[in-house]
Amino acid sequence: EEGAAGRRGERERNEEGPAERGPGAAFHMFVLMEDLLDKLKLLSYEEEALRRHNMRPLSRHYFALPTNPGEQFFMFCTLAAWLISTAGRPFEQPQESDDPNAVISNVLSELRSF
């Protein structure tokens, strides 16, 4: 029983939720998204990636809130393909009809090769 109580206490410390990490932890994803958007703007993503694919600019919380998972996934794949190409690697732009598992596998494979 003593060992079980010790493991339970250890597990509770490792599974801290946002409330246990501090009051601002729940908003950390919004800060990360704003940082991501700033970096994309420095790379001129609006002119280079979005206009080429006739897409709208991202809102500052686009990936922080799950609004339309299919659209968000396609936007992520489009940006990933553009960033990989910008880094000097040939990478084919994914299509909305492509298998999501295959697209992610290709992106991860390319990133591992970096």
Side-chain angles (χ1 to χ4, degrees):
E1 186 175 329
E2 200 173 295
R7 285 191 301 271
R8 183 179 39 211
E10 184 176 312
R11 185 174 62 234
E12 289 170 2
R13 282 191 301 273
N14 291 336
E15 295 176 4
E16 293 179 350
E20 288 83 13
R21 291 183 295 201
F27 300 101
H28 184 68
M29 69 184 111
F30 295 99
V31 173
L32 289 176
M33 182 60 209
E34 288 182 19
D35 288 344
L36 170 67
L37 192 56
D38 288 342
K39 291 173 183 174
L40 287 171
K41 285 181 180 181
L42 287 173
L43 293 171
S44 302
Y45 90 105
E46 291 166 324
E47 294 83 22
E48 299 289 326
L50 298 184
R51 284 197 185 138
R52 184 176 303 158
H53 302 291
N54 198 25
M55 300 173 105
R56 296 174 307 180
L58 300 176
S59 70
R60 56 188 202 137
H61 299 135
Y62 185 78
F63 290 117
L65 299 170
T67 55
N68 183 341
E71 177 186 301
Q72 288 171 312
F73 178 76
F74 183 66
M75 178 63 82
F76 169 79
C77 294
T78 299
L79 291 173
W82 173 71
L83 287 167
I84 291 168
S85 297
T86 301
R89 303 276 184 124
F91 195 84
E92 188 174 321
Q93 174 63 39
Q95 303 300 312
E96 284 189 85
S97 59
D98 290 348
D99 176 33
N101 293 322
V103 172
I104 289 298
S105 178
N106 291 341
V107 168
L108 290 174
S109 175
E110 195 62 42
L111 293 177
R112 284 186 195 106
S113 72
F114 278 110

